[in-house]
Amino acid sequence: MPKTSAAVTQADYIKAYRIMLLSRVLEEKLASLYRAGMIKGGVFLGRGQEALSVSVGIHLHRGDIFAPLIRDQAGRLAFGDTVLDTLRTYLGSQLGSMRGRDGNIHRGRPRDGYYAMISHLGAMIPAVSGGLFARRLKGERGVVGATCIGDGGTSTGAFHEGLNAAAVEKLPLVVVIANNQYAYSTPNSRQYACADLLDKAAGYGVVGHKADGTNLLDCLQTLRRAVQNARGGGGPQLVVADLLRLVGHGEHDDGQYVDPKLKASPLGGDCLVIAEHHILEQKWATAEEHAVWRREVETEVNSTADRVRREPPPDPEEDDWAALSCPEYREQYATS
Amino acid sequence: MPKTSAAVTQADYIKAYRIMLLSRVLEEKLASLYRAGMIKGGVFLGRGQEALSVSVGIHLHRGDIFAPLIRDQAGRLAFGDTVLDTLRTYLGSQLGSMRGRDGNIHRGRPRDGYYAMISHLGAMIPAVSGGLFARRLKGERGVVGATCIGDGGTSTGAFHEGLNAAAVEKLPLVVVIANNQYAYSTPNSRQYACADLLDKAAGYGVVGHKADGTNLLDCLQTLRRAVQNARGGGGPQLVVADLLRLVGHGEHDDGQYVDPKLKASPLGGDCLVIAEHHILEQKWATAEEHAVWRREVETEVNSTADRVRREPPPDPEEDDWAALSCPEYREQYATS
Amino acid sequence: MITYLEAIRLAQQKALATDPRVFLYGQDIASFGGAFKATKNLSKEFPGRVFDATLSEDAIVGMAIGAAIEGMRPIVEMQFADFSTCGLNQIVNHAATLYYRTGVPCPIVVRLPSGGTSGGGPFHSQSMEALYAHYPGLVVVTPATVEDAYTMLFDAVALDDPVIFCEHKFLYNHLKAESLPETSLPIGKARLARTGRDATIVTHGAMLHESLAAATELAEEGFELEIVDLRSVKPLDTDTILASVARTGRLLCVSEEWPWGGVTSEVIARVSAEGFGLLDVAPMRVNAKDTPVPYHPDLWSVHRPTASTIAAAARRLLLS
Amino acid sequence: MITYLEAIRLAQQKALATDPRVFLYGQDIASFGGAFKATKNLSKEFPGRVFDATLSEDAIVGMAIGAAIEGMRPIVEMQFADFSTCGLNQIVNHAATLYYRTGVPCPIVVRLPSGGTSGGGPFHSQSMEALYAHYPGLVVVTPATVEDAYTMLFDAVALDDPVIFCEHKFLYNHLKAESLPETSLPIGKARLARTGRDATIVTHGAMLHESLAAATELAEEGFELEIVDLRSVKPLDTDTILASVARTGRLLCVSEEWPWGGVTSEVIARVSAEGFGLLDVAPMRVNAKDTPVPYHPDLWSVHRPTASTIAAAARRLLLS
Ligand SMILES: Cc1ncc(C[n+]2csc(CCOP(=O)(O)OP(=O)(O)O)c2C)c(N)n1
Ligand SMILES: Cc1ncc(C[n+]2csc(CCOP(=O)(O)OP(=O)(O)O)c2C)c(N)n1
Ligand SMILES: [Mg+2]
Ligand SMILES: [Mg+2]
């Protein structure tokens, strides 16, 4: 494994950008389906966090482990999740990976290394660590596991216990903190007192990396370095990216509590727009080509949404209502 | 409040030393009562940790809050706990503060700011923080709360959540880590990966202090500084003292897993012996005076133990078996 | 009209106004007013009494316990009941044991936005009353009406013991009342929500309303169901239940929780043990299915009991 | 003679020897062999298969879940059942929901050294089977004999679902057997531990032995008690219980846990609902008192059921 990471190429950048664009358009669709009452529960978007998220997913290989969190649509797509399964899960389609039993961001395909988050924040860190631990026991080499968390999530006991245990085992784990300045409505000043979340790295004995979450190139470079470090045996890597959530906590929330000064600051930049400008400036694509990209993803998203909306919902009569895999251990209750 | 702490005087040192001696002798008695089968459950001693522990308790005032942990007999005595109540609690006397309902190290008098630990490690950190938070709400000023934990306890989610919340609230909390190299049989190498537990302080944005746990003067000075910092508005203080547990995890454990190299290293020094030598060297007391001190505490401990052994055990018939304070909400079950 | 949710807000407002020991602590509850707006405007109205917490349920409850030891009366909001598992250790092992161990009571109230709603899924829908009721040292209440949401929360704050306040999210904006009562039944007393001679339904929380609807359906068929709203599941008002079963001879227990060891099994166990002779036929129960709470609305509405499944069970009970 | 504790050790040894997917993870379980020595020598015998964990119950269970997803079969030791509250979130919300949500099973075994011993006190004595049984997605077993400790642990490892293995500390060195069986009843089946015609006692764990002693006492008085050892509390073998009650007409449920929503209430609720006609008289239960488990041996021995309180209850049942 090279100690210094290979440079991010134009092709890498464009590939990442196009996934970001797909993610953004897909999420806009999710928001509109939510407003139309077609998605129940909630919709939680990653607007403004696509550069960071895609940089995580894009550096993982088949065979790696990824446990994305709330705002990781871009990273999920980069890791191999599809528009189809995203829509199926949000709409609760029978054919989706969660078969309507769970929804929205709580989706994955654990057998493919794509873990399905539970809501309880921090919980995926030890789970990915355990997955990596198992791979090591099985003799697999060169595997990486990555998982994301928010500034708020760093306050959970699970974050602490999981990262510490991973550090003790020197597992190839990458923990990415999307420091988007708020946990729901709670600003960082009410969430932690350290000068920078990166200051936590030394306390766990893990390598720390800082990224500008609004800058795709910086995110790609940082994640490439972190993932390669982990893959090369450098133990857990803690990546802290500063950015701003450019949307409410969920689509039910207008996020009006967000400090206008933050919005006006560099943190408030939209990584997608910034990356688009970069591409145009660098003349890696023309405005026309870019328009084609956008049309392509819009077509994909819209046609997939139409398809999924015609798919059958889960049928309660068909469901086996089984929480256990072994049929002989399922309980019978004298209840209706 | 002075920014620099007043120097530790000879009188301070001797006062602390005599509490350490009392603690040591009392704990030896507890061990012998345990071996004689008179204490059930377990006995967990603080041998080798008295210098650190006494330094915590001695710097707290009436009106402060203290939540000691497993190995804090010395600190407890310094804070006002008595030989009598220690023995009563271990022996489960009806007259003890826990009335036989709880025992050994799980004792306290919460109304006096002396919190009674639960076993679940880390849990007392947020509790003390909450107590301090309440004092602040009530307009009390100059209060300090202290609590102790082991190297192992730093791996709990409760430690992390509690210290972080205290840091956000900038509470006058002193968290003392007795880094005695083992959590039960588990060496530090299997417990954390940071270079020094002190590296955690920056990650919480709290002030860190290091002490030599075998050296009473250093412990007194460090804790004086930490407590004064907290009292003066400096927010949470994290004290890390290195030392070695000079006894098994409990009296059922011979601790044979302890690395002989550690025992032979400076960490393995017995703080009580070192302090005794210091007193004699400094000619703060003669060997004869010292012998008198020891005889005094032995007499106190032995006579108290004899007295407590004659006290009545709790009477199950007299107990109201009530987990709730409000009688009207106690449940009746049709059980025998 | 006052909603169930607004009643909860008003009870906290009244508690803050009348008792200087009260303060509120929880995620996003200060200027934001809470995920459900149960503390809306309270931080403005009571400066320095309503605090945003870190994302740390264990620390939140632990802090509340310490504050209670020092004589305060914290009301803690969990963002969803489901997240209280992360603070469970402090609840069941610290708050619940404090009085027994030390003689010092622990007057905290932990508000749990509970129960299922459409699209909530496995982690935003749980009913956790049985979990907490199993542990000694806790009072567990489950208000089912606007009036109870108001008076029981206020009463819970006055209580010296830790109270787990299971407020039902489905009822938040669904239930409305003209006005709020000044007094009511004390915590620990159940209420006859409907009288009838043919069978007794014992239920609580959102299931009260499904049961009432089922009773209306059955009334059209000529059966009169009596309905006991438990209000608090611990203590459990066995006397009121037994008195009703004495009148009807038939018992159906309905709960949105999972069946194993839930309120329905506790109620049936008590009636069977203490009122065996009162039962004309076998008691029955209707619970949620024994799986996580599903996300899709169609699955969810079959997972939990509804008026129609309750009515169907009641019919079987009445004909048995 | 093989103790209950040694049987647990040997079952783990056999699992390690026969299934390369098995590994052990827990505090102090490697070279130290565990707080109770249930893994003694296993780290030497199986290098790289037995690991000391950090003092982090949440991470321990979380790691086990991840490993199970990757096809391993971790056995986790909690140092005491009581500390599993700190890992409860991962158990009930992650392990227990995984199969239902994703279709991928979660074959972990969580060993809980459970139940009271003299001087254990509030935090080293708890019986947590009801807590876990309430949640869907878990199998909860409570071996009461040396043979079951051995075969059920081995079977638990083979099971594709998460198993909460409640091993009783009081039995660790107290129970002894000549040899270990190769096979036994499967998990989920209860066992008639004693046959009798006059009444049925349903129990599990350490209370089996108190109940057997009570039955011996009652036999001298001419009463023959039948005793059902549940072995697993979820699934609960209602059929075996009902068959026994059908023979005896009388039911006494005995458990060391707290009463509210415990095994006794679930058993009584099921028998009342499904076998009402089989009961000649009201079912009864004997549980621990509804307080934390006290420290002093004199209090403790009154807090939990004993042969004599069980016998007294049985006498009342037989005469009713
Ligand atoms: C343990 C836990 N407590 C509470 C919640 C409710 N909750 C969901 S998202 C959220 C805020 C998360 O903030 P952060 O971690 O910063 O992520 P962000 O939403 O900013 O991406 C909260 C409190 C939860 N999911 N888990
Ligand atoms: C949450 C939790 N898990 C497990 C235990 C069991 N336990 C009691 S003491 C101990 C070791 C503690 O080690 P450390 O924190 O270093 O303190 P020390 O004993 O060395 O003073 C363990 C694992 C516990 N008390 N709490
Ligand atoms: Mg955030
Ligand atoms: Mg230690």
Side-chain angles (χ1 to χ4, degrees):
Chain A
M1 291 292 155
K3 274 281 165 213
T4 52
S5 36
V8 171
T9 64
Q10 170 183 345
D12 294 336
Y13 192 98
I14 290 186
K15 180 178 167 203
Y17 172 77
R18 293 185 67 174
I19 296 172
M20 290 168 64
L21 184 63
L22 175 60
S23 176
R24 178 70 62 92
V25 169
L26 173 55
E27 290 202 337
E28 278 160 6
K29 185 74 191 181
L30 294 172
S32 86
L33 290 168
Y34 175 78
R35 284 192 297 271
M38 275 179 287
I39 294 174
K40 296 284 178 228
V43 163
F44 305 88
L45 304 185
R47 189 183 189 98
Q49 306 192 190
E50 292 94 339
L52 175 65
S53 184
V54 76
S55 301
V56 184
I58 216 164
H59 287 109
L60 301 176
H61 304 159
R62 173 165 288 276
D64 285 342
I65 297 174
F66 184 35
L69 229 69
I70 320 184
R71 309 198 191 279
D72 282 313
Q73 184 60 50
R76 289 170 186 264
L77 292 170
F79 190 62
D81 195 4
T82 60
V83 171
L84 180 63
D85 202 54
T86 304
L87 282 158
R88 280 176 165 165
T89 306
Y90 266 95
L91 289 163
S93 161
Q94 172 88 308
L95 304 174
S97 51
M98 311 305 277
R99 295 158 298 157
R101 291 173 165 197
D102 207 341
N104 52 59
I105 50 189
H106 305 94
R107 71 181 186 280
R109 296 185 183 274
R111 283 274 180 264
D112 301 336
Y114 176 32
Y115 289 8
M117 64 177 277
I118 67 167
S119 290
H120 301 72
L121 293 169
M124 301 315 291
I125 297 177
V128 174
S129 302
L132 294 170
F133 192 72
R135 300 290 189 91
R136 178 187 288 170
L137 288 177
K138 295 200 276 184
E140 293 183 29
R141 292 282 165 269
V143 178
V144 166
T147 185
C148 302
I149 196 146
D151 39 278
T154 65
S155 297
T156 61
F159 168 87
H160 173 71
E161 294 195 0
L163 184 51
N164 183 60
V168 167
E169 299 296 347
K170 219 169 189 302
L171 293 170
L173 174 73
V174 180
V175 173
V176 181
I177 302 178
N179 184 1
N180 65 8
Q181 315 302 315
Y182 288 87
Y184 208 150
S185 75
T186 306
N188 284 348
S189 59
R190 295 287 307 162
Q191 195 67 248
Y192 59 81
C194 51
D196 191 302
L197 285 173
L198 203 63
D199 296 343
K200 293 194 177 292
Y204 294 98
V206 303
V207 182
H209 307 261
K210 193 73 191 254
D212 173 355
T214 66
N215 183 315
L216 176 58
L217 185 63
D218 196 43
C219 288
L220 284 169
Q221 282 169 339
T222 307
L223 265 299
R224 181 163 296 189
R225 206 164 48 238
V227 170
Q228 287 193 356
N229 269 1
R231 214 182 288 285
Q237 312 284 312
L238 187 69
V239 177
V240 178
D242 293 335
L243 36 67
L244 189 65
R245 200 187 68 205
L246 297 183
V247 70
H249 171 65
E251 282 308 282
H252 60 280
D253 170 31
D254 60 10
Q256 57 160 317
Y257 44 79
V258 174
D259 186 345
K261 283 204 212 78
L262 278 177
K263 286 192 202 167
S265 79
L267 277 181
D270 181 339
C271 59
L272 189 77
V273 174
I274 295 171
E276 180 191 333
H277 288 169
H278 186 72
I279 288 170
L280 297 178
E281 263 166 38
Q282 298 289 316
K283 303 210 192 314
W284 291 346
T286 63
E288 292 67 41
E289 284 169 312
H290 184 265
V292 172
W293 294 348
R294 181 172 269 276
R295 267 200 309 282
E296 276 176 19
V297 299
E298 280 169 356
T299 308
E300 178 184 357
V301 165
N302 287 327
S303 67
T304 311
D306 289 343
R307 169 178 164 190
V308 172
R309 284 170 55 196
R310 286 190 305 269
E311 286 180 356
D315 180 353
E317 299 298 314
E318 297 273 291
D319 203 293
D320 65 0
W321 294 105
L324 293 175
S325 74
C326 308
E328 60 274 34
Y329 297 120
R330 294 178 193 157
E331 279 273 79
Q332 301 298 334
Y333 294 89
T335 75
S336 71
Chain B
M1 291 293 155
K3 273 283 166 215
T4 52
S5 36
V8 172
T9 65
Q10 171 183 344
D12 295 337
Y13 193 99
I14 289 186
K15 180 177 167 207
Y17 172 78
R18 293 186 66 175
I19 296 171
M20 289 168 64
L21 185 63
L22 175 60
S23 176
R24 178 71 63 93
V25 169
L26 173 54
E27 289 202 337
E28 277 160 6
K29 186 76 190 178
L30 294 172
S32 88
L33 290 167
Y34 174 78
R35 282 191 298 271
M38 276 179 288
I39 293 174
K40 295 284 179 228
V43 163
F44 304 88
L45 304 185
R47 190 184 189 97
Q49 307 193 187
E50 292 94 341
L52 175 65
S53 183
V54 77
S55 301
V56 184
I58 216 165
H59 287 108
L60 300 176
H61 304 160
R62 173 167 289 275
D64 285 342
I65 297 174
F66 184 36
L69 229 70
I70 320 184
R71 311 202 187 276
D72 281 312
Q73 184 60 50
R76 289 170 185 265
L77 292 169
F79 190 63
D81 195 3
T82 60
V83 171
L84 181 61
D85 203 53
T86 303
L87 282 158
R88 280 177 165 167
T89 306
Y90 266 96
L91 289 163
S93 161
Q94 172 89 306
L95 304 172
S97 51
M98 310 306 276
R99 297 159 296 156
R101 290 173 164 197
D102 206 341
N104 53 57
I105 50 188
H106 304 95
R107 70 181 187 280
R109 296 185 183 273
R111 283 273 179 263
D112 301 336
Y114 176 32
Y115 290 7
M117 66 176 278
I118 66 167
S119 291
H120 301 72
L121 292 169
M124 300 315 291
I125 296 177
V128 174
S129 302
L132 294 169
F133 192 72
R135 300 292 189 89
R136 178 187 287 171
L137 288 178
K138 294 200 276 185
E140 292 182 31
R141 293 280 165 268
V143 179
V144 166
T147 186
C148 303
I149 195 147
D151 40 277
T154 64
S155 298
T156 61
F159 168 88
H160 173 71
E161 294 194 0
L163 183 52
N164 184 60
V168 167
E169 300 295 348
K170 220 170 188 303
L171 294 169
L173 174 73
V174 180
V175 174
V176 181
I177 302 177
N179 185 1
N180 65 8
Q181 314 303 315
Y182 288 87
Y184 208 153
S185 75
T186 306
N188 284 349
S189 59
R190 294 289 306 163
Q191 194 67 247
Y192 60 80
C194 51
D196 191 304
L197 285 173
L198 203 63
D199 297 342
K200 294 194 177 292
Y204 295 98
V206 303
V207 182
H209 306 261
K210 194 72 193 252
D212 173 355
T214 66
N215 182 314
L216 176 58
L217 186 62
D218 195 43
C219 288
L220 284 168
Q221 283 169 337
T222 306
L223 266 299
R224 181 162 297 191
R225 204 164 50 236
V227 170
Q228 286 193 355
N229 269 2
R231 213 182 288 286
Q237 312 285 312
L238 187 69
V239 177
V240 178
D242 293 335
L243 37 67
L244 189 65
R245 203 186 66 207
L246 298 183
V247 70
H249 171 65
E251 283 307 282
H252 59 281
D253 170 31
D254 60 11
Q256 55 158 319
Y257 45 79
V258 174
D259 185 346
K261 284 203 213 77
L262 278 176
K263 287 193 201 165
S265 79
L267 278 181
D270 182 339
C271 59
L272 189 77
V273 174
I274 295 171
E276 180 191 332
H277 287 171
H278 186 71
I279 288 171
L280 296 178
E281 262 167 37
Q282 298 289 318
K283 304 213 193 308
W284 291 345
T286 63
E288 291 67 40
E289 284 168 312
H290 184 265
V292 172
W293 295 347
R294 180 172 270 277
R295 266 201 308 283
E296 276 175 19
V297 300
E298 281 169 354
T299 308
E300 177 184 356
V301 165
N302 287 327
S303 67
T304 310
D306 290 343
R307 167 177 165 192
V308 172
R309 284 170 54 194
R310 286 190 305 268
E311 286 179 358
D315 179 352
E317 299 297 316
E318 297 272 293
D319 203 293
D320 66 358
W321 293 104
L324 292 175
S325 74
C326 308
E328 61 274 33
Y329 297 119
R330 293 177 193 157
E331 279 273 77
Q332 302 298 334
Y333 294 89
T335 75
S336 74
Chain C
M1 295 292 275
I2 298 158
T3 62
Y4 180 98
L5 178 62
E6 177 66 0
I8 288 167
R9 200 187 73 82
L10 291 170
Q12 294 180 91
Q13 184 187 50
K14 184 174 162 197
L16 283 161
T18 55
D19 189 339
R21 300 170 302 176
V22 173
F23 72 95
L24 314 189
Y25 191 50
Q27 291 152 14
D28 304 295
I29 66 164
S31 57
F32 189 62
F36 298 100
K37 302 295 168 198
T39 59
K40 193 174 169 180
N41 290 330
L42 296 181
S43 74
K44 217 183 294 168
E45 208 176 324
F46 301 96
R49 310 271 302 277
V50 183
F51 303 92
D52 280 335
T54 52
L55 217 161
S56 315
E57 284 75 10
D58 185 83
I60 290 172
V61 181
M63 295 260 290
I65 293 167
I69 289 174
E70 301 299 325
M72 302 297 285
R73 302 255 154 177
I75 306 177
V76 156
E77 175 177 306
M78 292 282 149
Q79 201 151 79
F80 283 80
D82 315 51
F83 300 127
S84 73
T85 47
C86 298
L88 178 133
N89 183 56
Q90 290 280 4
I91 297 175
V92 305
N93 281 317
H94 203 175
T97 66
L98 193 70
Y99 172 73
Y100 178 78
R101 294 167 61 237
T102 70
V104 174
C106 187
I108 68 172
V109 176
V110 184
R111 289 182 38 235
L112 301 187
S114 302
T117 55
S118 188
F123 308 118
H124 293 76
S125 304
Q126 294 177 26
S127 300
M128 298 183 59
E129 48 268 30
L131 208 71
Y132 292 110
H134 182 59
Y135 266 82
L138 300 172
V139 171
V140 184
V141 303
T142 54
T145 66
V146 177
E147 292 80 1
D148 276 350
Y150 181 71
T151 61
M152 292 179 81
L153 180 49
F154 190 72
D155 291 351
V157 176
L159 223 153
D160 277 345
D161 293 303
V163 180
I164 308 300
F165 191 85
C166 303
E167 53 192 58
H168 205 295
K169 299 193 299 290
F170 187 80
L171 304 180
Y172 272 167
N173 296 302
H174 183 77
L175 289 188
K176 297 186 180 67
E178 289 288 345
S179 64
L180 293 175
E182 273 311 299
T183 59
S184 75
L185 286 176
I187 285 175
K189 290 275 166 273
R191 182 178 68 93
L192 274 192
R194 181 188 168 111
T195 56
R197 58 171 191 267
D198 296 323
T200 299
I201 295 184
V202 175
T203 188
H204 67 280
M207 289 300 115
L208 171 64
H209 307 282
E210 299 294 327
S211 299
L212 285 167
T216 306
E217 214 177 303
L218 273 277
E220 287 162 20
E221 301 168 24
F223 297 111
E224 287 304 330
L225 298 182
E226 181 147 301
I227 299 186
V228 177
D229 170 11
L230 288 174
R231 300 176 72 250
S232 79
V233 303
K234 192 172 189 182
L236 189 65
D237 183 359
T238 319
D239 291 347
T240 297
I241 300 168
L242 288 172
S244 175
V245 175
R247 286 187 290 273
T248 64
R250 282 174 157 76
L251 173 65
L252 173 65
C253 295
V254 178
S255 170
E256 188 179 328
E257 323 146 285
W258 295 302
W260 203 111
V263 178
T264 58
S265 60
E266 184 61 26
V267 170
I268 292 179
R270 292 205 195 182
V271 172
S272 301
E274 300 172 45
F276 188 71
L278 308 174
L279 288 166
D280 294 336
V281 299
M284 286 176 64
R285 57 173 160 167
V286 181
N287 279 88
K289 291 190 193 295
D290 195 39
T291 71
V293 185
Y295 165 75
H296 194 284
D298 293 355
L299 293 177
W300 175 66
S301 59
V302 171
H303 182 265
R304 69 170 200 152
T306 57
S308 78
T309 57
I310 297 166
R315 267 181 218 109
R316 285 204 306 283
L317 179 70
L318 289 160
L319 300 177
S320 66
Chain D
M1 295 293 276
I2 298 157
T3 62
Y4 179 98
L5 178 62
E6 177 66 0
I8 289 167
R9 200 187 74 81
L10 292 171
Q12 294 181 92
Q13 184 187 49
K14 183 173 162 199
L16 284 162
T18 55
D19 189 340
R21 300 169 303 177
V22 173
F23 71 94
L24 314 188
Y25 191 50
Q27 291 152 13
D28 304 296
I29 66 164
S31 56
F32 189 62
F36 298 99
K37 302 295 168 199
T39 58
K40 192 172 168 183
N41 289 332
L42 296 181
S43 74
K44 215 183 296 166
E45 206 175 325
F46 301 96
R49 309 271 302 277
V50 182
F51 303 93
D52 280 337
T54 54
L55 217 160
S56 315
E57 284 76 11
D58 184 83
I60 290 171
V61 181
M63 295 261 290
I65 293 167
I69 290 174
E70 300 300 325
M72 301 298 284
R73 302 256 154 176
I75 305 176
V76 156
E77 174 176 305
M78 291 282 149
Q79 202 151 80
F80 283 79
D82 315 52
F83 300 127
S84 74
T85 47
C86 298
L88 179 132
N89 183 56
Q90 290 279 6
I91 297 174
V92 304
N93 281 318
H94 204 175
T97 66
L98 193 69
Y99 173 72
Y100 178 77
R101 295 168 62 237
T102 70
V104 173
C106 187
I108 68 173
V109 175
V110 184
R111 288 182 38 234
L112 301 188
S114 301
T117 55
S118 188
F123 309 118
H124 293 76
S125 304
Q126 294 176 28
S127 300
M128 298 184 58
E129 48 268 30
L131 208 71
Y132 292 110
H134 182 59
Y135 265 83
L138 300 171
V139 170
V140 184
V141 304
T142 55
T145 65
V146 178
E147 292 79 0
D148 276 350
Y150 180 71
T151 59
M152 291 179 82
L153 181 49
F154 190 72
D155 290 351
V157 176
L159 223 154
D160 277 344
D161 292 303
V163 179
I164 308 300
F165 191 85
C166 304
E167 52 192 59
H168 204 296
K169 300 193 297 291
F170 188 80
L171 305 181
Y172 271 167
N173 296 304
H174 183 75
L175 289 188
K176 295 185 181 67
E178 289 289 344
S179 64
L180 292 174
E182 273 310 300
T183 58
S184 75
L185 285 176
I187 285 174
K189 289 275 167 272
R191 183 177 68 93
L192 274 193
R194 181 188 168 110
T195 55
R197 57 168 191 268
D198 296 322
T200 299
I201 294 185
V202 175
T203 188
H204 67 280
M207 289 300 115
L208 171 65
H209 307 283
E210 300 294 328
S211 299
L212 285 167
T216 307
E217 213 177 305
L218 272 278
E220 287 161 20
E221 301 167 27
F223 296 111
E224 287 305 330
L225 297 182
E226 181 146 303
I227 299 186
V228 176
D229 170 11
L230 288 174
R231 302 176 72 250
S232 78
V233 303
K234 191 171 189 183
L236 189 65
D237 183 358
T238 319
D239 291 346
T240 298
I241 299 168
L242 288 173
S244 174
V245 175
R247 288 188 289 272
T248 64
R250 282 174 156 77
L251 173 66
L252 174 64
C253 294
V254 178
S255 170
E256 186 179 330
E257 324 145 285
W258 296 303
W260 202 110
V263 177
T264 58
S265 59
E266 184 61 25
V267 169
I268 292 180
R270 292 203 194 185
V271 171
S272 301
E274 300 172 43
F276 188 70
L278 309 175
L279 288 166
D280 294 337
V281 299
M284 287 177 62
R285 56 174 160 168
V286 181
N287 279 87
K289 291 190 192 294
D290 195 39
T291 72
V293 185
Y295 165 74
H296 194 284
D298 293 356
L299 294 177
W300 176 67
S301 60
V302 171
H303 182 265
R304 67 170 201 151
T306 56
S308 79
T309 57
I310 297 166
R315 267 181 219 107
R316 285 204 306 284
L317 179 70
L318 289 160
L319 301 176
S320 66

